[in-house]
Amino acid sequence: MHLAEVCNRQYPTIPRIILWLMVEMAIIGSDMQEVIGCAIAFNLLSMGRIPLWAGVLITIFDTFVFLFLDKYGLRKLEAFFGFLITIMALSFGYEYVLVRPDQGELLKGMFVPYCAGCSATQLEQAVGIVGAVIMPHNIYLHSALVKSRQIDRNNKKEVKEANKYYFIESTIALFISFLINVFVVAVFAEAFYNKSNFEVNEMCNKTGSPHTDLFPLDNSTLEVDIYKGGVVLGCYFGPAALYIWAVGILAAGQSSTMTGTYSGQFVMEGFLNLRWSRFARVLLTRSIAITPTLLVAVFQDVQHLTGMNDFLNVLQSMQLPFALIPILTFTSLTSIMSDFANGLFWKIGGGVVILMVCAINMYFVVVYVTTLNSVVLYVFAALLSFLYLCFVGYLAWQCLVALGVSCLDVGSRMRLGLTGHTDIYLLNDMDHDVGVER
């Protein structure tokens, strides 16, 4: 079984439904980002001739292209996905070479992380990057995709060999993703840091850019996003830089559509035992994603649209515990993983990562709530934050029991589906279900 199916079997009904809703929220948020990215890419590629709202509507049709490719099988789809990743790597790699950031400073920032004089705003952006890179629903997706490989799961040697190749495959994919993100962050840091709106306005005027009015004639510090980023690159490094940037954003959006669709299907089937066609699944997710995005695109400007994108990145980070905690919980149980259960090193390492993510999220929950001016909003946000932390605490408690903290195992008295033995924790129904492949 993959992760969503295990969650369905192991967690009680109410926590399972809440967990499913949290993952669905991450998927819809990711789809909204795809819509935003593609709309901005179409606008940049057309030099503003395609308005943002029209770009949002165009994204409806790319789902049908995706569904058409899906008819030819998973391997063909994986090849197309690899093609999109290659486009992203080449596009953003070109920008990286063009901008030529200081390699020494890059390595220093990579291995000695620091942020002198950073405020909550900069830290929020950093957390957003984490959410953008490690999307929670993709953890559920990769858990399900490994089932597509034909191996004899009763043969431990074959399973061990398959795990080795899965590890290599995931490492390569994550490394490429890491490089792409390094390219993007380094380009932003080198090309846009310490520039004023006045400087950029002058440069865009000299090059005849139609986007000059984006930058007011003042000496305030330049603030960039994925839209302004492409414009500034075009002003400083020529139109090719702008178009290549837009192509990279478009490829990223299309790949996000594919991962979101498959994630949504596996999550819905796993958590609810509800089997929908991919067409129905895409239609539902995209409809929910397009509605608020289209409203912002029609009634607001691009700054609000990209601001929504930043918020969605932080939302992805907030949803990370709902993927990380269950996967650490169930991969640590010998009753599920047998000889392949997590060892002490992975238990401690996974626990530390989850603790860091939760601590950062709690910090931003507190910061966000305290900045609200309205009493009604303050109470509402505080209530949501409390419920969020309670649910994360519930999942963490069960995870600790699975990790062997037996003093916390009071489930039989609390009627939460736990047993008195860590090794068969939350497994009341699994051993009786002979029809489930384990």
Side-chain angles (χ1 to χ4, degrees), residues 366-422:
V366 173
V367 169
Y368 177 75
V369 170
T370 54
T371 56
L372 296 175
N373 296 322
S374 170
V375 176
V376 175
L377 289 177
Y378 181 87
V379 173
F380 181 69
L383 178 61
L384 287 180
S385 302
F386 175 75
L387 294 174
Y388 170 84
L389 295 176
C390 284
F391 188 58
V392 171
Y394 168 81
L395 295 177
W397 164 53
Q398 299 200 34
C399 182
L400 288 172
V401 176
L403 292 176
V405 186
S406 56
C407 62
L408 297 177
D409 187 5
V410 293
S412 57
R413 295 190 294 274
M414 299 292 291
R415 297 183 180 179
L416 291 174
L418 308 182
T419 70
H421 303 283
T422 303

Side-chain angles (χ1 to χ4, degrees), residues 77-92:
L77 208 57
E78 286 180 340
F80 181 66
F81 188 66
F83 172 70
L84 292 175
I85 292 176
T86 302
I87 291 177
M88 282 191 285
L90 293 176
S91 300
F92 298 133

Side-chain angles (χ1 to χ4, degrees), residues 23-37 131-132 135-138 252-253 255-261 263 285-286 289 293 309 312-313 315-316 319:
V23 179
E24 287 289 355
M25 189 183 299
I27 293 170
I28 292 171
S30 173
D31 207 51
M32 289 177 68
Q33 289 180 297
E34 188 273 326
V35 171
I36 293 170
M135 291 190 172
H137 55 279
N138 281 350
S255 64
S256 177
T257 295
M258 295 169 63
T259 57
T261 300
S263 299
T285 306
R286 184 52 58 91
T293 311
N309 189 54
L312 291 170
N313 279 337
L315 175 67
Q316 298 287 356
Q319 304 303 316

Side-chain angles (χ1 to χ4, degrees), residues 144-383:
L145 286 179
V146 296
K147 291 180 64 178
S148 66
R149 270 53 172 180
Q150 298 299 320
I151 62 171
D152 181 6
R153 287 174 170 78
N154 295 317
N155 186 329
K156 291 184 179 180
K157 183 179 179 181
E158 192 171 334
V159 172
K160 187 175 182 179
E161 184 180 11
N163 283 340
K164 181 182 75 173
Y165 288 113
Y166 291 147
F167 179 79
I168 294 172
E169 179 183 334
S170 298
T171 301
I172 293 172
L174 289 172
F175 180 71
I176 294 173
S177 174
F178 171 74
L179 283 181
I180 292 173
N181 282 281
V182 167
F183 291 158
V184 174
V185 174
V187 165
F188 268 57
E190 182 68 24
F192 312 137
Y193 177 69
N194 213 23
K195 284 186 171 61
S196 68
N197 284 314
F198 184 80
E199 290 177 84
V200 177
N201 186 291
E202 275 196 330
M203 179 60 70
C204 289
N205 258 326
K206 289 179 182 177
T207 57
S209 170
H211 304 286
T212 305
D213 56 345
L214 284 173
F215 311 101
L217 286 169
D218 57 43
N219 286 319
S220 58
T221 303
L222 173 68
E223 294 183 4
V224 292
D225 45 48
I226 59 173
Y227 182 79
K228 285 185 178 179
V231 173
V232 176
L233 287 171
C235 292
Y236 277 83
F237 302 101
L242 183 149
Y243 290 127
I244 292 172
W245 176 262
V247 168
I249 294 173
L250 187 61
Q254 297 306 307
S255 64
S256 177
T257 295
M258 295 169 63
T259 57
T261 300
Y262 270 95
S263 299
Q265 184 184 24
F266 289 130
V267 165
M268 181 175 284
E269 290 179 358
F271 275 101
L272 304 181
N273 286 324
L274 182 62
R275 300 190 180 277
W276 282 17
S277 68
R278 289 197 182 97
F279 178 84
R281 172 71 213 186
V282 171
L283 197 61
L284 173 66
T285 306
R286 184 52 58 91
S287 299
I288 297 173
I290 276 182
T291 303
T293 311
L294 185 60
L295 290 174
V296 173
V298 171
F299 296 107
Q300 299 291 342
D301 52 21
V302 69
Q303 281 82 6
H304 288 85
L305 202 61
T306 52
M308 179 189 287
N309 189 54
D310 293 337
F311 167 77
L312 291 170
N313 279 337
V314 176
L315 175 67
Q316 298 287 356
S317 179
M318 297 290 289
Q319 304 303 316
L320 270 176
F322 304 126
L324 296 178
I325 296 177
I327 202 166
L328 179 62
T329 299
F330 299 127
T331 56
S332 299
L333 293 172
T334 55
S335 50
I336 293 178
M337 301 300 296
S338 187
D339 295 339
F340 301 98
N342 289 332
L344 182 62
F345 173 80
W346 291 109
K347 288 180 180 179
I348 294 175
V352 169
V353 170
I354 291 172
L355 186 63
M356 289 174 59
V357 170
C358 291
I360 293 171
N361 287 343
M362 283 190 285
Y363 169 77
F364 277 103
V365 165
V366 173
V367 169
Y368 177 75
V369 170
T370 54
T371 56
L372 296 175
N373 296 322
S374 170
V375 176
V376 175
L377 289 177
Y378 181 87
V379 173
F380 181 69
L383 178 61

